[in-house]
């Protein structure tokens, strides 16, 4: 249920502040926030509940005033009134992958602004763990969930196909969750991500523009949609340049960690060694963690980057700019992905019957020394 706006004459008993002395200095009621932001109490309430019908400039002004004043909703008082948990789950497949860190920060930032707590859930791509977290939603122990695990999205998609839990007309599926990064628009679940096909095509086009013609691919398990889309973008870039796509120059690995990238590079470069056929002169890896492993694996087997083999990654994690040589990569707007996912979920919670559209955010090519 939406947050009930505090009436002008109410005391501060229904609110708390972020710092003890700031209530007196600024005033912590929702009415005071509205007055200083120059909007109505109803507008502040809509911002707090994630409603879409607020102008972006107005939303930012209200959020800035909330942050400045230290306004916080009293969780106990509201939970008793609404029976809400004020808890959002964020399901991540691997805490060790740095790609997820900035996304999680974005989710947590928006959740806190709107009076929610975030619980970080390690799924480990395990179907049993996934079911247990979704059960928290079914039992109303959590209000909603954001899923960053491609395996979970795939399992949910398969389950929806079997039991019809997703609406046949493409509207939102029954449980209040949002898919982030890995998504299938046909599921009827709100999503946020990037154009994986276009981003991969841009990465390979860049390598081609640098004169590379023998371009290998190190991909994840291609039953995931993002892996299929990045593979198809790779193939499209080769085809439009008239470059033959060699099956022998494509390797799939079963994880996105550094070791998998190193092993993939070794497998790719040794496959034709000893024959007259050339080896790749460039490698596109579908994540930066794989690409960092590729650089290390190439170096360990005597190949120089980028002189012998150029390398391009995907994500632009912090480590990408720190390795030697710094990694050319596709940058995903990780913080914005998390913030957008949280806002989509809050919008859905505010109006469970509303159709919440998916969002594609822009990517960009970051050119460094590796390729």
């Amino acid at each position: 249920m939406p947050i009930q706006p505090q009436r002008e004459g109410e005391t501060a008993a229904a609110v708390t502040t972020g710092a003890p002395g700031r209530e007196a200095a600024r005033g912590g009621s929702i009415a005071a926030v509205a007055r200083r932001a120059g909007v109505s109490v109803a507008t502040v309430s809509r911002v707090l509940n994630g409603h879409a019908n607020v102008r972006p400039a107005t939303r930012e002004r209200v959020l800035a005033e909330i942050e400045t004043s230290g306004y916080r909703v009293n969780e106990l008082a509201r939970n008793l009134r609404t029976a809400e948990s004020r808890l959002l789950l964020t399901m991540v497949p691997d805490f060790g992958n740095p790609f997820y860190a900035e996304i999680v920060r974005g989710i947590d930032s928006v959740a806190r602004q709107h009076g929610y707590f975030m619980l970080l859930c390690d799924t480990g791509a395990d179907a049993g763990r996934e079911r247990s977290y979704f059960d928290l939603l079914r039992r109303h122990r959590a209000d909603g969930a954001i899923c960053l695990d491609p395996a979970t999205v795939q399992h949910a998609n398969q389950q929806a196909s079997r039991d019809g839990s997703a609406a046949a007309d493409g509207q939102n599926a029954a449980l209040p969750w949002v898919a982030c990064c890995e998504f299938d628009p046909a599921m009827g679940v709100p999503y946020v991500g990037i154009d994986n096909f276009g981003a991969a095509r841009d990465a390979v086009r860049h390598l081609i523009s640098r004169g590379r013609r023998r371009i290998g691919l190190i991909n994840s398990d291609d039953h995931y949609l993002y892996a299929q889309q990045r593979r198809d973008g790779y193939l499209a870039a080769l085809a439009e340049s008239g470059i033959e796509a060699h099956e022998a120059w494509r390797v799939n690995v079963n994880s996105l960690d550094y070791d998998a990238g190193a092993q993939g590079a070794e497998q790719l470069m040794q496959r034709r060694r000893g024959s007259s056929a050339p080896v790749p002169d460039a490698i596109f890896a579908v994540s930066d963690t794989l690409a960092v492993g590729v650089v290390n694996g190439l170096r360990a087997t005597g190949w120089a980057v980028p002189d012998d083999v150029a390398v391009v990654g995907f994500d632009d994690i912090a480590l990408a700019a720190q390795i030697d040589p710094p990694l050319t990569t596709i940058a995903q707007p990780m913080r914005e992905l998390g913030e957008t996912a949280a806002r989509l979920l809050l919008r859905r919670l505010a109006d469970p019957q509303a159709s919440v559209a998916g969002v594609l955010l822009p990517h960009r090519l970051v050119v460094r020394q590796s390729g």
Side-chain angles (χ1 to χ4, degrees):
M1 291 178 62
I3 301 169
Q4 298 298 317
Q6 184 179 342
R7 294 186 293 275
E8 291 283 348
E10 284 184 338
T11 68
V15 296
T16 59
T17 56
R22 298 172 75 176
E23 175 74 27
R26 298 286 296 172
S29 73
I30 194 171
V33 170
R35 185 172 59 254
R36 285 190 294 269
V39 300
S40 68
V41 170
T43 296
V44 177
S45 180
R46 283 194 291 271
V47 171
L48 288 169
N49 284 287
H51 285 279
N53 56 339
V54 180
R55 291 189 183 94
T58 302
R59 183 185 304 278
E60 291 305 315
R61 190 164 73 251
V62 171
L63 289 174
E65 179 55 41
I66 289 170
E67 182 65 25
T68 300
S69 67
Y71 170 81
R72 295 292 184 272
V73 177
N74 185 303
E75 303 301 333
L76 177 59
R78 181 184 42 202
N79 291 357
L80 290 172
R81 182 172 67 248
T82 65
E84 293 177 317
S85 71
R86 308 305 291 178
L87 182 66
L88 304 181
L89 310 180
T90 296
M91 292 187 272
V92 176
D94 179 8
F95 286 175
N97 189 329
F99 168 67
Y100 297 113
E102 196 63 19
I103 298 177
V104 169
R105 290 190 185 101
I107 294 170
D108 185 60
S109 173
V110 172
R112 287 178 177 274
Q113 287 174 3
H114 292 82
Y116 283 85
F117 296 97
M118 187 199 71
L119 178 64
L120 195 56
C121 307
D122 182 4
T123 66
D126 178 83
R129 290 193 205 174
E130 296 161 12
R131 283 193 298 271
S132 69
Y133 292 131
F134 278 115
D135 281 344
L136 292 177
L137 300 185
R138 294 186 181 95
R139 299 198 305 268
H140 304 288
R141 301 293 180 86
D143 290 337
I146 296 169
C147 183
L148 283 72
D149 185 346
T152 299
V153 175
Q154 294 295 301
H155 293 162
N157 197 2
Q158 293 159 7
Q159 182 65 31
S161 299
R162 288 195 298 269
D163 63 18
S165 62
D169 63 356
Q171 296 302 309
N172 291 343
L175 292 175
W177 68 287
V178 168
C180 183
C181 301
E182 174 80 347
F183 60 89
D184 181 356
M187 288 181 66
V189 173
Y191 64 85
V192 58
I194 67 165
D195 177 2
N196 285 296
F197 174 91
R201 183 175 56 186
D202 289 346
V204 178
R205 281 175 171 174
H206 167 74
L207 288 168
I208 294 169
S209 74
R210 293 294 179 94
R212 309 291 174 157
R213 292 294 183 272
R214 305 187 309 276
I215 302 172
L217 172 68
I218 296 183
N219 200 1
S220 175
D221 187 329
D222 62 9
H223 81 272
Y224 297 139
L225 289 171
Y226 81 89
Q228 296 169 21
Q229 293 159 351
R230 294 177 193 181
R231 175 202 63 203
D232 292 347
Y234 158 87
L235 293 173
L238 295 181
E240 68 188 19
S241 296
I243 299 173
E244 183 180 357
H246 290 276
E247 183 71 30
W249 291 346
R250 301 208 303 265
V251 171
N252 287 80
V253 295
N254 60 9
S255 73
L256 295 177
D257 61 22
Y258 304 111
D259 288 343
Q263 292 164 10
E266 184 177 358
Q267 180 182 349
L268 193 60
M269 301 303 291
Q270 288 184 349
R271 179 167 284 171
R272 289 171 176 254
R273 186 171 279 175
S275 72
S276 59
V279 295
D281 59 5
I283 295 174
F284 168 50
V286 301
S287 82
D288 281 350
T289 48
L290 287 177
V292 170
V294 167
V295 171
N296 291 334
L298 289 171
R299 183 179 290 117
T301 51
W303 303 96
V305 178
D307 294 343
D308 298 326
V309 186
V311 177
V312 172
F314 202 109
D315 293 333
D316 198 28
I317 61 175
L319 183 60
Q322 307 304 318
I323 67 167
D324 181 23
L327 187 64
T328 294
T329 187
I330 294 291
Q332 294 202 61
M334 292 175 282
R335 178 80 178 218
E336 191 178 354
L337 283 167
E339 292 173 346
T340 304
R343 292 191 180 108
L344 291 178
L345 181 57
L346 292 171
R347 195 177 305 163
R348 187 174 188 187
L349 293 175
D351 186 356
Q353 303 307 314
S355 178
V356 180
V359 177
L360 289 182
L361 297 177
H363 63 272
R364 62 189 175 88
L365 177 70
V366 179
V367 179
R368 299 191 181 101
Q369 284 73 55
S370 71

